[in-house]
Amino acid sequence: MSTSVIYLPIGRKTFDLTAAEVVWKETSDWLQSQCETLYEPEQIMTSVEELEQFLQSLEGKQIDSIVYQSVTFADGEFVVKALDYFKVPFIVWSVREPSVGGRLRLNSLTGGNSTSNVLMHYRHPFSFVFGNPSELEVQQKLLRQFRVNRVIDKLGQLSIGVIGDHPPGFFFSEANEQLLKNQLGVTIHKMDLQQAFRECVKLDESRYLSAVERAEQQVVGLSRSDEAVKKFAQFYTYVKDYINENQIKALAVRCWPDFFNELGAAACSTLSQFTEGGIVSSCESDIHGSISMFILYELSNGNAPYLGDLVHINEERNSAVFWHCGAAAYSLAHPATGAQAGVHPNRKMGFTMDFGLKPGGVTIFRVSNTPDGYRLLVMKGTALDVPQAFSGTSVEVELSTDVTSTLNSLMQQGFEPHYAIVYDDVSDALMELGRQLGIETIVYV
């Protein structure tokens, strides 16, 4: 994931600029090693005029983060000027004093304190880092913050394709488009499911064969002669062309009853292949489920997420089973079985995924919609190496909290029944994302 950063080293000549330059050069070297795109001045900026001249040279640049480093103390004029030019999240960075005793040589911490106070009053998103650029903990915090800020930027650019309305009674799948845009920056692009059905079946084999070949690379037991495989490939190809043309980066698809009754195939395989390819896709037209998957995908640097119902708990193993009918990215399959082709467990129609997910550490997440606005759910656990629990796709996760009390709490708080899961520990980043966005975050870790 590309990182685009502005580095603003700020100081005053009344402090020890010789010591400050050591920090500045170390910081510059580290940022250059970590950022795909880094914009930085040729020296520490010691006046608002210098800062403004530098910022003017960057107008129109696409930026994820501003690293605002108080290499010495500086007042709030500097950060106010920076806010005139860029509205992206700030990382306020104070460094340690080079020596204790005698003169206060940098007073960087007070500078960071002053800057944080200004950003608070301007209600501008920011985070704070304290320490020197050589410190591993500082580096890890900065890298996490870069990831969070990139996600905020990408959410502001996200267009989610919603193919058909949610099934009857699945009220949690819908979204208030204006609230979604105002609070998360996400826009909805509605697509006509019936038109997609009509148009996709017109595609000849030369157009859709590559979709079949792509699935054959990872799916065990796939039969080209299966009519459901043909229809999967036709629908997948039609939608892929459409989303490429319209720059759509995620999908929420109404899968039943329409796919079974009108196309004569399950939607699961289409969603699986899209998610495997980096276009996260939710079933039952779950808009916030797809956004949850998108956030996990971005924070984990491209790990395929899973979306499942919470269907069973095992008190003895302190675990919960997450399941769905047959949609999961191919790479999530347990290595002992691989991604197996199957049929829908209820409709007996293909083609779907039928496998247990692989073991490993996971983060469980949900962008949750309430009558009072958004909230985030963050949980952690370990996907167990156990037999497949149910037909379809499923994973049994040993939670890091007590499963019984967690279950009761989730129900009492009325969370949606779809939970997004990724094989990575991004819980700290998710909590920081909630803080930056000003969204309540409920945590079980």
Side-chain angles (χ1 to χ4, degrees), residues 48-67:
V48 175
E49 291 73 25
E50 283 182 295
L51 173 62
E52 182 163 30
Q53 186 177 6
F54 175 66
L55 292 171
Q56 286 174 344
S57 72
L58 300 178
E59 285 191 275
K61 302 293 186 184
Q62 293 298 311
I63 304 298
D64 304 323
S65 304
I66 290 179
V67 174

Side-chain angles (χ1 to χ4, degrees), residues 309-340:
D309 296 337
L310 173 55
V311 298
H312 177 68
I313 63 168
N314 184 323
E315 291 89 348
E316 291 184 2
R317 289 201 286 251
N318 196 53
S319 63
V321 175
F322 298 88
W323 165 93
H324 231 281
C325 313
Y330 309 146
S331 57
L332 296 181
H334 195 291
T337 64
Q340 298 276 342

Side-chain angles (χ1 to χ4, degrees), residues 130-437:
F130 176 70
N132 290 345
S134 60
E135 297 175 30
L136 180 60
E137 186 174 346
V138 170
Q139 295 173 5
Q140 291 174 338
K141 187 170 183 180
L142 285 163
L143 292 174
R144 184 195 71 189
Q145 201 61 50
F146 289 154
R147 291 199 304 273
V148 170
N149 292 351
R150 285 197 303 264
V151 168
I152 293 172
D153 180 65
K154 286 181 174 290
L155 284 171
Q157 302 174 43
L158 177 60
S159 176
I160 180 170
V162 180
I163 311 180
D165 295 332
H166 62 78
F170 280 58
F171 305 116
F172 67 87
S173 288
E174 62 190 1
N176 180 315
E177 292 187 46
Q178 193 59 56
L179 179 65
L180 190 61
K181 181 64 177 175
N182 291 345
Q183 197 154 7
L184 296 179
V186 177
T187 57
I188 288 176
H189 185 112
K190 292 186 177 178
M191 301 169 60
D192 189 323
L193 181 61
Q194 303 304 317
Q195 180 180 352
F197 287 156
R198 291 192 299 270
E199 296 298 326
C200 78
V201 295
K202 299 176 184 178
L203 300 180
D204 59 36
E205 187 177 42
S206 64
R207 290 281 308 280
Y208 67 74
L209 183 59
S210 62
V212 178
E213 293 172 340
R214 170 68 185 86
E216 283 179 328
Q217 294 173 10
Q218 287 179 272
V219 179
V220 179
L222 182 69
S223 172
R224 287 195 182 198
S225 62
D226 187 343
E227 183 68 16
V229 172
K230 173 184 175 181
K231 290 181 178 179
F232 140 76
Q234 288 175 319
F235 187 85
Y236 172 86
T237 301
Y238 174 83
V239 173
K240 184 179 181 182
D241 290 344
Y242 185 94
I243 66 176
N244 287 342
E245 291 172 7
N246 291 277
Q247 297 184 317
I248 293 167
K249 300 299 183 183
L251 293 172
V253 181
R254 176 183 171 113
C255 50
W256 64 270
D258 311 67
F259 268 81
F260 304 108
N261 296 343
E262 297 173 43
L263 186 63
C268 308
S269 49
T270 297
L271 307 185
S272 300
Q273 185 143 307
F274 271 122
T275 300
E276 182 68 26
I279 303 295
V280 298
S281 303
S282 66
C283 58
E284 295 165 338
S285 204
D286 181 1
I287 294 170
H288 296 112
S290 183
I291 295 170
S292 303
M293 296 172 75
F294 178 85
I295 291 171
L296 292 181
Y297 176 83
E298 294 292 338
L299 284 180
S300 66
N301 293 319
N303 290 346
Y306 176 68
L307 189 71
D309 296 337
L310 173 55
V311 298
H312 177 68
I313 63 168
N314 184 323
E315 291 89 348
E316 291 184 2
R317 289 201 286 251
N318 196 53
S319 63
V321 175
F322 298 88
W323 165 93
H324 231 281
C325 313
Y330 309 146
S331 57
L332 296 181
H334 195 291
T337 64
Q340 298 276 342
V343 297
H344 192 277
N346 298 328
R347 304 280 182 149
K348 305 304 179 185
M349 190 176 292
F351 95 89
T352 69
M353 299 300 103
D354 188 6
F355 57 76
L357 273 60
K358 62 186 179 182
V362 298
T363 303
I364 304 164
F365 175 63
R366 175 77 196 188
V367 176
S368 176
N369 189 16
T370 79
D372 300 318
Y374 287 117
R375 61 183 176 177
L376 304 182
L377 170 68
V378 181
M379 303 169 62
K380 282 173 60 173
T382 301
L384 300 176
D385 191 354
V386 294
Q388 180 179 349
F390 302 102
S391 299
T393 57
S394 61
V395 58
E396 184 172 344
V397 179
E398 180 184 2
L399 299 184
S400 58
T401 54
D402 179 73
V403 67
T404 302
S405 61
T406 300
L407 173 66
N408 289 330
S409 183
L410 292 173
M411 299 304 137
Q412 290 163 6
Q413 295 181 82
F415 277 100
E416 297 89 335
H418 282 176
Y419 299 82
I421 299 172
V422 75
Y423 283 79
D424 197 358
D425 184 357
V426 293
S427 55
D428 287 345
L430 289 169
M431 288 184 271
E432 176 62 16
L433 177 67
R435 191 190 69 79
Q436 291 271 22
L437 294 174

